[in-house]
Amino acid sequence: MAQQILVIEDEPTLARLLSYNLSQEGYETKVIDHGSEGLQAALQHAYDLIILDIMLPGLNGFEILSKLRQKGNKTPVIILTARNAEEEVVQGLKYGADDYITKPFGVAELLARVSAVLRRTLSDEQLQDKQAAGEKVITAGDLFIYPEKYEVLLGGESIPLRPKEFEVLLYLVQRPSVVVTRDDLMNIVWGFDYIGGQRTVDVHVSSLRKKLEMNQQSVQIESIRGVGYKLVTAPVKKS
Ligand code: CA
């Protein structure tokens, strides 16, 4: 059965982004845009995870979190905090949040955090089932990516990648031989309201490409001039 996630977020664009991407990943989501209604929903139904905004109409995120924990509800909670608001993080963790994501965030980071929190809070029985099913791995040629561990092996050798490089690679590998635009990479990895330029994407791809090519030539990132990038698993002839 799909894991169920409650999203309490009053900003429609962000709520849609969360709901869409979580559903794409196979989670069942319910979105509520109001604080006290969100608390009610969280208490009425046993969700696997709650994604909780802080500034909400009705009750704010801290009030919801503290009421949940007071009532003995242990559902894991990821709070969404504003940029440069360290006190929100500190307060959230004090009230019993399991993790936090700072806005703006990319989809890759969101999914990684969700999966990590869900994994940490799995029951022993669920954990055994999961281990029996084998850990998630994505492959392309002799490239092995372990998304839950942020680990990449190429030809059996571990490749040290920075988080954004990892996320770019993960996105490309999941779309083999498809041209991915810079805009897509920007939105997915850096977040839909990231203000940096496309140059950021190019810099990360170029560094990622160097790291891949240091090991072997079996996986390459092709540049499609003026459009974006494509991952190819056969060697590319340089013209
Ligand atoms: Ca809000």
Side-chain angles (χ1 to χ4, degrees):
M1 201 181 79
Q3 287 176 301
Q4 298 179 323
I5 300 181
L6 173 64
V7 176
I8 308 178
E9 168 60 70
D10 62 323
E11 211 277 292
T13 315
L14 186 52
R16 265 201 308 276
L17 175 98
L18 287 163
S19 162
Y20 173 77
N21 286 288
L22 291 168
S23 316
Q24 288 291 99
E25 198 67 9
Y27 300 111
E28 229 171 75
T29 59
K30 165 120 183 123
V31 177
I32 292 187
D33 62 0
H34 186 273
S36 32
E37 288 166 22
L39 174 63
Q40 210 171 15
L43 290 170
Q44 277 169 355
H45 184 88
Y47 289 96
D48 295 291
L49 174 72
I50 299 168
I51 297 182
L52 180 61
D53 190 26
I54 300 298
M55 299 301 287
L56 289 163
L59 294 174
N60 72 35
F62 299 129
E63 292 168 319
I64 294 173
L65 189 52
S66 78
K67 283 185 201 296
L68 272 179
R69 298 305 188 232
Q70 268 168 26
K71 290 180 192 291
N73 183 300
K74 296 197 176 75
T75 309
V77 171
I78 298 180
I79 53 170
L80 300 176
T81 63
R83 198 204 315 243
N84 300 328
E86 202 184 336
E87 71 281 4
E88 281 188 3
V89 174
V90 172
Q91 211 171 349
L93 296 175
K94 199 177 77 192
Y95 281 124
D98 296 81
D99 202 354
Y100 64 94
I101 304 177
T102 302
K103 295 186 268 191
F105 52 84
V107 172
E109 182 189 1
L110 166 77
L111 296 177
R113 298 240 179 204
V114 164
S115 140
V117 167
L118 284 171
R119 210 153 56 110
R120 279 211 302 269
T121 54
L122 285 179
S123 70
D124 289 347
E125 194 184 329
Q126 287 172 311
L127 202 59
Q128 279 168 10
D129 287 351
K130 201 172 163 67
Q131 280 165 351
E135 188 167 16
K136 191 172 173 188
V137 57
I138 296 163
T139 62
D142 54 1
L143 184 69
F144 286 72
I145 301 184
Y146 299 89
E148 288 159 3
K149 292 192 289 192
Y150 264 63
E151 191 175 289
V152 175
L153 297 180
L154 180 58
E157 275 186 58
S158 174
I159 306 197
L161 297 181
R162 290 183 295 170
K164 295 295 187 208
E165 292 167 354
F166 178 89
E167 288 164 14
V168 167
L169 180 63
L170 182 60
Y171 191 73
L172 290 172
V173 163
Q174 288 171 315
R175 289 152 190 82
S177 305
V178 170
V179 179
V180 173
T181 67
R182 286 189 178 81
D183 273 349
D184 278 350
L185 282 174
M186 196 77 162
N187 291 338
I188 294 292
V189 176
W190 279 267
F192 70 100
D193 55 356
Y194 179 76
I195 355 170
Q198 294 189 335
R199 177 88 186 116
T200 307
V201 177
D202 295 341
V203 168
H204 280 77
V205 168
S206 139
S207 150
L208 174 60
R209 183 184 274 146
K210 277 193 198 111
K211 290 179 182 178
L212 292 178
E213 288 179 356
M214 250 186 335
N215 287 48
Q216 307 210 5
Q217 300 284 308
S218 64
V219 175
Q220 295 195 0
I221 299 171
E222 249 184 87
S223 295
I224 312 299
R225 205 181 165 81
V227 184
Y229 297 100
K230 179 167 88 170
L231 187 109
V232 285
T233 47
V236 183
K237 286 204 180 77
K238 294 216 166 66
S239 52

